[in-house]
Amino acid sequence: MTETDVAREGRPDVVQIRIPSLRLGPVVLAALALIVISLLLKGGVLARGYFIEDDFLFVGDAYEHNLTWDYLTRVHKGHLMPGALGLVWVLSRIAPYNWFLVAAVMLALQAAASVGMLVLLRRLFGDRVGILVPLVLYLFAPLTVPALSWWSAALNAVPLQVAMVFSLAAHARFLRDGTARHAWQGLAWAAFGMAFSTKGAFLPLVTFSLTTAYFGTGRTQGWVRAAVRELRARPRVWGAYAALLAGYALLYLLRQGTAGRRGRGSPRRTWPSASPAGCSAAPSRPGSSAAR
């Protein structure tokens, strides 16, 4: 708890500021212990990994290009991820094909995401023992391990997790105390998530759903009414989120296909030329000798 409670006592010109204690309770200590254990397990997985597939392509592209706007905004296989490409460029220039460096950065980002999840759960539910259940599910979910051990996937997935938990945590604090800067912090974290993954475009929708379904009156008056009421109550905040989404979509459309054939997600179908006799040859199957 870091919020400042302001209470007026006696005379109206006297303001007493009380800052809650920062002592770690048993729930927080247990949560931190779980985070450390999960990081040790994931660190063991990363220690046995190495670069594969698109990892080599990313490092090669980093050496072929300077750190320019054109390089950062290339749409690679349907993904607009300037933050991920920027991180690849920096790490490749520091120590190319250094798995220890890459694994350390990814593990540090995973640690940030884990701590962020703890912060989010405390903001939503307080220091209750029950928050350890969703925390454990997040920390030890096997679905997150493959993405972490493959660098190309981790570049998208892990920073997106960081952005999601801290964006929601900042917005939850905004809804609790009404301080506008926390709302803009949530917006900034959403932009951070979009910079690393196209799936970050869903973060504003997740934030809006949390606001209306959990903090709003959606459970008593219906979600649609709660959504309309929320849009009318905070038009600047949601207008900023809408502008962020529109800007990201526009940039994606303008830069689509800029990475060449290697960066496009939809393959082109080509037909063989007609035979000398005027009869079209049958299309060869992938993997056959004709296709090779």
Side-chain angles (χ1 to χ4, degrees):
M1 298 292 291
T2 59
E3 290 82 357
T4 301
D5 296 330
V6 180
R8 296 185 179 272
E9 295 183 350
R11 296 178 303 170
D13 58 334
V14 176
V15 178
Q16 179 183 5
I17 300 177
R18 179 173 56 86
I19 301 177
S21 173
L22 298 178
R23 290 180 301 174
L24 299 178
V27 174
V28 176
L29 290 175
L32 293 176
L34 291 171
I35 291 175
V36 171
I37 294 173
S38 69
L39 292 176
L40 290 175
L41 294 175
K42 292 175 180 178
V45 174
L46 283 172
R48 294 189 294 270
Y50 196 68
F51 302 98
I52 56 174
E53 299 181 0
D54 283 359
D55 300 347
F56 297 101
L57 176 62
F58 282 140
V59 177
D61 283 345
Y63 267 89
E64 291 179 0
H65 300 86
N66 294 323
L67 192 62
T68 62
W69 177 254
D70 181 72
Y71 165 73
L72 292 176
T73 57
R74 301 173 74 192
V75 177
H76 177 82
K77 295 183 179 180
H79 296 279
L80 176 62
M81 47 183 186
L85 293 179
L87 181 59
V88 169
W89 192 92
V90 172
L91 295 182
S92 298
R93 294 305 174 106
I94 294 176
Y97 299 114
N98 188 322
W99 181 253
F100 177 80
L101 175 62
V102 167
V105 172
M106 289 299 106
L107 194 63
L109 288 172
Q110 185 63 66
S114 301
V115 173
M117 176 60 75
L118 174 60
V119 173
L120 174 60
L121 292 172
R122 294 183 69 199
R123 293 267 173 89
L124 294 178
F125 308 110
D127 288 339
R128 301 178 181 178
V129 179
I131 68 173
L132 297 179
V133 176
L135 182 64
V136 168
L137 293 177
Y138 170 73
L139 295 177
F140 299 99
L143 292 177
T144 62
V145 176
L148 178 64
S149 58
W150 181 16
W151 190 34
S152 298
L155 285 169
N156 300 133
V158 182
L160 179 61
Q161 295 174 40
V162 176
M164 179 182 65
V165 293
F166 280 107
S167 178
L168 293 177
H171 195 78
R173 187 171 182 180
F174 161 67
L175 296 175
R176 296 288 192 192
D177 59 22
T179 305
R181 66 182 176 88
H182 296 143
W184 307 129
Q185 288 174 2
L187 180 69
W189 278 113
F192 176 83
M194 292 181 188
F196 282 86
S197 174
T198 52
K199 297 181 179 67
F202 291 97
L203 288 180
L205 303 179
V206 174
T207 303
F208 185 74
S209 300
L210 175 70
T211 303
T212 54
Y214 182 76
F215 288 94
T217 57
R219 290 173 294 182
T220 58
Q221 299 182 2
W223 183 82
V224 175
R225 289 185 178 181
V228 173
R229 189 173 182 178
E230 176 62 27
L231 291 174
R232 291 177 177 176
R234 302 180 180 92
R236 291 182 58 190
V237 172
W238 302 117
Y241 274 105
L244 177 63
L245 275 175
Y248 185 82
L250 178 61
L251 179 61
Y252 184 91
L253 293 175
L254 291 176
R255 301 295 295 169
Q256 193 173 20
T258 52
R261 294 187 61 185
R262 290 182 302 178
R264 294 177 183 174
S266 57
R268 293 181 177 181
R269 186 175 185 180
T270 57
W271 295 95
S273 59
S275 63
C279 299
S280 300
S284 59
R285 294 178 298 173
S288 65
S289 59
R292 296 172 188 167

